Amino acid sequence: MTKTFAFDTLDAPLAAMPTQAPAAPVHPESLLALPPGEARQSLLTVHSILEARLPAGPLSIYEAGGGSTSYLPLGVLHRAHVTVVDIDEDQVRNNNYAQQAILGDLQTYRFAPGSFDLIICYNVIEHVPDVESVLSGFCTALKRDGLLLIGAPNPDSLSGVITKYSPHWFHVWFYRHIRGEKKAGLPGEAPFPTHFHPLVTPANLEAFAGRHGLQVIYRKKYESPRYPEMRRRKPMLAALIDIAAGMVNAILPGRVDVRHGDYHVILRKLEQ
């Protein structure tokens, strides 16, 4: 089902009225909220790649799904026109840094070909039933040499398997009682229902990219920030999970670490 109206039918049209970007150089959550560890370090690497690879001057950026959190480096954010599309009205209303906020379905909402220098899809594709449709739209909307940043949970990790095969109420319980997020599950608040389409798996995602003229310029599986967070909040539970993860790693072939619960991928469009 598609929700593609952009608030222009309401008394206060959010899509027609640009949201106000922060006047002061304050980052909208994201990097500062991450505990020290592999996730933070990988995001710093992502930032350095974006700053080096994106063209100088004004940028056009599409954030596929976006509330109050941005994963852009400040130097990029402050010279960009950011367009956010999200199907959740509360998420759209929570966004305070995009110049255009659109209530729409990523699976069907389309932009003109070659519209964006950068597309970001961060902690979103795992929630989408038809990821292939979303990625096809991204391929069309990117300019030549444009970049696509995807951050997502790894379905093949320990946390990915638990998330995939446990009910949504358990995810809400975990966020509230283990992570301490009392608003978890309320309208506009994580966690959101998870689908884990096959293309969310890194190997499948990269194969899709190769078939559609996208080049992988960065890939990194890393320990989910939930682990250092849990070690701080629930050390005994974290110790048990670390032991269990170590035992699983010992019996899996290759250099696999099931604690690598998330990944970053940056893709470059080779042709228009």
Side-chain angles (χ1 to χ4, degrees), residues 106-209:
L106 304 179
Q107 299 165 113
T108 56
Y109 201 94
R110 291 293 181 264
F111 292 94
S115 293
F116 298 103
D117 300 291
L118 171 65
I119 297 176
I120 304 171
C121 188
Y122 211 104
N123 294 337
V124 172
I125 61 171
E126 67 272 21
H127 303 296
V128 178
D130 188 359
V131 173
E132 184 170 4
S133 176
V134 172
L135 294 176
S136 297
F138 292 167
C139 292
T140 300
L142 270 179
K143 297 178 181 179
R144 181 177 182 180
D145 290 326
L147 302 180
L148 169 59
L149 166 61
I150 295 177
N154 178 11
D156 294 333
S157 66
L158 179 61
S159 58
V161 170
I162 292 172
T163 300
K164 185 175 182 178
Y165 294 105
S166 59
H168 182 65
W169 65 260
F170 176 78
H171 306 168
V172 174
W173 177 89
F174 181 87
Y175 270 62
R176 289 184 181 179
H177 299 284
I178 303 301
R179 297 190 58 188
E181 299 184 12
K182 302 305 181 185
K183 294 183 178 180
L186 296 178
E189 300 288 340
F192 304 103
T194 303
H195 292 279
F196 273 142
H197 185 282
L199 284 177
V200 178
T201 303
N204 294 340
L205 175 61
E206 292 187 23
F208 176 93

Side-chain angles (χ1 to χ4, degrees), residues 222-245:
Y222 54 86
E223 184 182 74
S224 168
R226 304 290 81 81
Y227 282 96
E229 179 185 88
M230 194 182 307
R231 292 180 189 119
R232 177 178 57 84
R233 290 183 52 84
K234 305 283 185 179
M236 293 185 64
L237 175 61
L240 291 174
I241 293 175
D242 278 330
I243 291 171

Side-chain angles (χ1 to χ4, degrees), residues 92-110:
V92 171
R93 290 191 184 279
N94 286 340
N95 187 286
N96 63 358
Y97 60 87
Q99 283 71 38
Q100 186 178 30
I102 300 172
L103 183 65
D105 189 337
L106 304 179
Q107 299 165 113
T108 56
Y109 201 94
R110 291 293 181 264

